[in-house]
Amino acid sequence: MSSRIAVVPGSFDPPTLGHLDVIRRAASLYDQLHVLVVHNPRKEAMLPIAQRQALLEQSIAESDIDTEVVVASWSVGLLVDYATDVGAGVLVKGIRSQVDVAYETPMAIVNRHLAHVETVFLLPDPAHALVSSSLVRQVASLGGDVTPYVPPAVARFLGTPASGL
Ligand code: PNS
């Protein structure tokens, strides 16, 4: 039987507990995962791509995930080209709401047209349904505590909130 390989793409700026939850669920479904940090030109970045990659590697290493996970980055060309290059026939995306469905559906259809790459939508634990990287960026920039929203490695990197403010 051929191995089942999937790509989990995202901006991961920074990685959140919601991201890790989706990666964990995808890891239980596939033999190998490529977690891919993709440059999203529609978003102003907080962290350099290499930093996001390192935080994902640490977060996955410190989790209970035992599937083979490759963490990589992609900034030029089509996402499906990366998927095809590594032998992945599936992209996995986390879906928190109807807004995510509306945003992701056209991309899923185009990616299937472009390269016969399917998209699988996974629902995260509802505990993470309201967590987003943009929310974490905002809380962190205002000196708030992000530990309820991000893996421990990311919380350590972003630091503890300023006290007494
Ligand atoms: O975490 P994000 O910012 O919601 O991730 C979005 C991302 C990077 C996964 C999305 O923008 C994407 O799939 N980009 C791929 C770019 C591409 O290949 N476009 C052409 C066909 S849709």
Side-chain angles (χ1 to χ4, degrees):
M1 196 181 94
S2 64
S3 65
R4 299 165 305 161
I5 305 172
V7 177
V8 187
S11 299
F12 303 111
D13 186 31
T16 66
L17 287 178
H19 291 135
L20 198 60
D21 186 53
V22 168
I23 293 166
R24 185 183 291 107
R25 288 171 199 284
S28 73
L29 298 172
Y30 297 95
D31 300 320
Q32 186 192 61
L33 288 188
H34 290 251
V35 176
L36 193 65
V37 182
V38 180
H39 169 66
N40 187 343
R42 294 162 64 154
K43 294 181 178 171
E44 194 179 336
M46 175 178 78
L47 301 176
I49 284 188
Q51 186 65 62
R52 296 180 231 166
Q53 211 174 316
L55 290 172
L56 277 165
E57 276 163 3
Q58 285 171 41
S59 301
I60 292 164
E62 291 174 7
S63 77
D64 56 359
I65 295 168
D66 54 12
T67 299
E68 184 185 355
V69 180
V70 175
V71 181
S73 64
W74 185 250
S75 52
V76 179
L78 294 168
L79 175 57
V80 289
D81 289 342
Y82 178 91
T84 304
D85 282 355
V86 299
V90 172
L91 305 175
V92 174
K93 302 271 185 102
I95 291 292
R96 291 162 302 185
S97 67
Q98 290 297 327
V99 175
D100 284 347
V101 175
Y103 175 70
E104 295 292 349
T105 300
M107 288 196 286
I109 300 289
V110 168
N111 284 330
R112 194 165 61 194
H113 280 159
L114 285 169
H116 305 289
V117 170
E118 296 288 352
T119 300
V120 168
F121 293 148
L122 293 182
L123 302 175
D125 187 311
H128 306 307
L130 298 177
V131 177
S132 67
S133 293
S134 61
L135 195 84
V136 171
R137 288 198 297 275
Q138 196 175 124
V139 173
S141 72
L142 296 171
D145 182 9
V146 296
T147 51
Y149 314 119
V150 298
V154 178
R156 289 197 300 275
F157 175 77
L158 292 177
T160 50
S163 58
L165 294 178

